[in-house]
Amino acid sequence: MEYEAVIGLEVHAQLLTESKIFCGCSAAFGAAYNTHTCPVCTGMPGSLPVLNRKAVEFAIKLALATDSHVAPFSLFARKNYFYPDLPKGYQISQYELPLATNGSVEIPIPRTDGGKKRVGITRIHMEEDAGKLFHDEAKPFSYVDLNRTGVPLLEIVSEPDIRTPQEAADYLRVTRTILQYLGICDGNMEEGSFRCDANVSIRPTGSETFGTRTEVKNMNSFRHVERALAYEIERQKKVLDGGGAVVQETRLWDPQQGITEAMRGKEEAHDYRYFPDPDLVPLAIDPQWIEEIRKGLPELPLQRKERFTKEYQIPEYDAGVITTSKALADYYEECVRFFPEPKQVANWIMGDLLRLLKEDEKEVEASPLPPQHLAEMLGLMKDGIISGKIAKTVFEEMYKTGKGATEIVKEQGLVQITDEDALTKTVEEVLQNYQNEVAAYKSGKDKLFGFFVGQVMKATQGKANPQLVNEILKKHLH
Ligand SMILES: [Zn+2]
């Protein structure tokens, strides 16, 4: 039996507001435990929440950037449950009437030239985050840090439009990029400011009805999302092919073992007894405010990609790769400003820079090689001071040491040899050393020409100007 997967994603994005969603405490990450707390976010009786206007503004920004409908009227509800990281005994969240509905984002279709697929967004709602528990393995203790309690979150729920693990990762990348371009979430998956749960089911290919789904949690990188979903889809196939039935349950991804496991201990089928929070008035949004926010929206990834293809005349593929991250697109533009040959800059960034960053598991923000240095190196290449081959060495050296191109070229004596007399001498030596090959070449083995070029380059440690070597060799071999 052939199956197709049906995947829907729930993203939690932590907003970059200065203060929490219902109190004035700092929402910053990484402070000493329980220092960003007050009676409101620790749930002291009689304290009253007050909605953070900035958090609403950020939510509206995302709604507009994803073509969602902003509800003129939405409600905050209490989601009741007990857990030690939630001192109030309920989480304030939007439930029946969310802030925004019916949006979408476009993801690239792999191996097509600019093909796009629309993934629907069911809803975007605002809620508060819970605290964090730390379990001491050695002692029978757990600790709770309430700094995160009340930090504003957006929950972004997609339609079940996703069919493959790769599409899921693409959807997450696009969503994260939009959040970053809007400047409302840093998108850091490791620190948990961008988290994702997935609903996964499979059905016979061509069928319209949904299969029983499982919820997969604990995936904290794009790679883990892809691996976890691929595993879960295979697992469900085996269950069905073996004559069994998929059980609706929450499963945790275990990155060490590379498997998903049914979650134990926590109740399934919660009844949260949602009801409107009596301490908060309904959220009524002035349409004029929405229009003001719309006018102030920054350039978004797709618009920037289009601008790059027009303004810099680079292929759509290149523009797509470079604009996937705001920081990378900024890096690119900075570099082009110093060295206005856009396609060449794109090639070096997409090739060498991204490769080295990937090897180091670094983001471009942490690149030890600033855009000015890349531009400087390209300038040296253009002026014929270094060859393309040496440029590769210089690039790696710049990346390793953080030094500029000119400095490295000087230090290591990498200046290209364009002195015809010096190169002629080297050519003559090479031909002297390979007399048999020279004879073979003269009797018709044309292919040996490349061999001679290679030997001259080797003798000069790659510093010879290749064009000049070609010319001199031709003269000597005729
Ligand atoms: Zn507080």
Side-chain angles (χ1 to χ4, degrees):
M1 178 90 80
E2 288 289 310
Y3 295 102
E4 72 170 355
V6 176
I7 302 166
L9 296 176
E10 280 174 25
V11 166
H12 283 95
Q14 213 174 74
L15 293 179
L16 285 171
T17 51
E18 284 187 23
S19 54
K20 294 187 179 180
I21 185 167
F22 298 120
C23 64
C25 291
S26 166
F29 178 84
Y33 301 141
N34 296 307
T35 53
H36 293 171
T37 55
C38 76
V40 174
C41 53
T42 53
M44 294 295 134
S47 61
L48 285 171
V50 177
L51 181 59
N52 180 341
R53 186 181 166 93
K54 203 73 186 171
V56 181
E57 184 189 318
F58 283 3
I60 294 173
K61 278 188 175 175
L62 180 67
L64 295 175
T66 54
D67 278 328
S68 303
H69 168 70
V70 181
F73 184 89
S74 61
L75 275 182
F76 285 97
R78 289 185 181 180
K79 178 183 181 179
N80 297 284
Y81 67 97
F82 170 77
Y83 207 64
D85 63 8
L86 187 76
K88 285 207 293 279
Y90 59 86
Q91 178 194 19
I92 304 178
S93 174
Q94 294 193 306
Y95 181 58
E96 268 170 324
L97 293 172
L99 180 104
T101 51
N102 267 327
S104 68
V105 297
E106 283 182 338
I107 61 170
I109 301 174
R111 291 177 298 278
T112 61
D113 187 18
K116 288 181 197 106
K117 168 176 172 161
R118 179 187 175 279
V119 176
I121 289 177
T122 316
R123 56 188 278 154
I124 297 171
H125 73 244
M126 306 176 66
E127 61 185 31
E128 59 178 344
D129 209 345
K132 219 173 170 178
L133 290 178
F134 299 90
H135 307 289
D136 193 324
E137 299 287 324
K139 298 177 205 136
F141 296 143
S142 286
Y143 305 89
V144 65
D145 177 18
L146 297 179
N147 283 349
R148 204 177 67 182
T149 312
V151 166
L153 295 179
L154 290 184
E155 183 170 322
I156 306 153
V157 183
S158 88
E159 290 285 303
D161 290 342
I162 297 161
R163 294 288 169 269
T164 64
Q166 153 125 46
E167 279 183 16
D170 285 341
Y171 166 82
L172 291 173
R173 279 195 193 95
V174 168
T175 306
R176 186 173 80 147
T177 307
I178 292 172
L179 289 162
Q180 289 172 331
Y181 270 69
L182 291 170
I184 62 174
C185 170
D186 65 19
N188 190 326
M189 283 182 100
E190 272 150 32
E191 287 177 6
S193 50
F194 184 86
R195 319 195 271 271
C196 149
D197 302 328
N199 289 307
V200 195
S201 62
I202 58 170
R203 63 183 177 192
T205 307
S207 162
E208 290 289 310
T209 46
F210 292 126
T212 306
R213 65 183 194 196
T214 58
E215 188 179 9
V216 183
K217 287 179 179 281
N218 196 39
M219 303 168 288
N220 60 5
S221 72
F222 294 130
R223 202 168 60 87
H224 284 314
V225 169
E226 280 193 68
R227 285 180 61 206
L229 292 178
Y231 174 86
E232 182 57 19
I233 291 164
E234 277 310 306
R235 189 192 69 84
Q236 292 188 10
K237 279 182 191 167
K238 278 187 200 140
V239 169
L240 294 187
D241 284 341
V246 173
V247 181
Q248 186 170 346
E249 63 190 353
T250 301
R251 300 180 67 89
L252 286 185
W253 168 243
D254 179 336
Q256 263 80 45
Q257 294 188 69
I259 58 169
T260 66
E261 279 183 307
M263 207 168 147
R264 284 171 223 273
K266 259 197 175 175
E267 276 298 310
E268 266 315 305
H270 286 291
D271 183 354
Y272 293 117
R273 301 272 167 143
Y274 281 98
F275 64 86
D277 192 308
D279 290 340
L280 285 158
V281 294
L283 176 57
I285 296 169
D286 184 349
Q288 224 182 321
W289 190 34
I290 299 176
E291 286 319 304
E292 270 168 40
I293 294 172
R294 193 194 300 276
K295 276 188 213 128
L297 282 183
E299 184 181 46
L300 291 164
L302 276 180
Q303 296 161 339
R304 197 169 195 186
K305 182 179 158 191
E306 268 166 38
R307 176 166 68 79
F308 276 20
T309 54
K310 285 196 195 106
E311 195 175 321
Y312 299 125
Q313 302 278 312
I314 54 173
E316 189 163 341
Y317 174 81
D318 297 22
V321 172
I322 292 166
T323 52
T324 41
S325 134
K326 180 173 185 294
L328 190 64
D330 290 344
Y331 187 102
Y332 174 76
E333 291 213 272
E334 183 76 355
C335 200
V336 171
R337 206 160 62 78
F338 289 110
F339 187 77
E341 290 189 21
K343 177 57 183 151
Q344 217 187 342
V345 173
N347 289 347
W348 279 88
I349 287 179
M350 293 193 303
D352 296 74
L353 182 67
L354 287 185
R355 176 177 58 80
L356 291 174
L357 288 171
K358 198 175 169 194
E359 279 171 17
D360 267 3
E361 293 179 9
K362 269 190 185 144
E363 299 283 331
V364 69
E365 289 92 325
S367 169
L369 196 163
Q372 294 87 328
H373 287 181
L374 174 55
E376 188 188 328
M377 186 204 83
L378 292 170
L380 294 179
M381 225 169 104
K382 195 183 176 196
D383 296 342
I385 295 168
I386 55 171
S387 64
K389 192 164 182 258
I390 290 293
K392 296 260 173 200
T393 314
V394 173
F395 190 89
E396 298 215 354
E397 215 37 46
M398 290 195 298
Y399 186 91
K400 250 190 272 167
T401 61
K403 289 180 186 168
T406 315
E407 195 182 347
I408 289 167
V409 168
K410 253 192 214 148
E411 268 178 16
Q412 309 201 0
L414 295 174
V415 175
Q416 179 163 252
I417 304 168
T418 48
D419 176 345
E420 203 171 334
D421 293 340
L423 280 183
T424 303
K425 223 177 130 217
T426 313
V427 167
E428 281 165 357
E429 277 165 20
V430 164
L431 298 182
Q432 188 66 35
N433 290 340
Y434 292 99
Q435 289 178 14
N436 290 342
E437 284 78 2
V438 171
Y441 176 82
K442 287 190 171 162
S443 64
K445 276 191 94 181
D446 290 350
K447 277 186 188 159
L448 279 168
F449 193 81
F451 168 79
F452 298 127
V453 175
Q455 290 305 316
V456 175
M457 293 310 281
K458 201 172 151 194
T460 57
Q461 280 125 31
K463 287 187 281 184
N465 177 317
Q467 234 179 318
L468 203 51
V469 172
N470 269 287
E471 282 168 24
I472 299 170
L473 268 172
K474 268 182 201 152
K475 264 190 240 159
H476 279 72
L477 287 167
H478 284 288

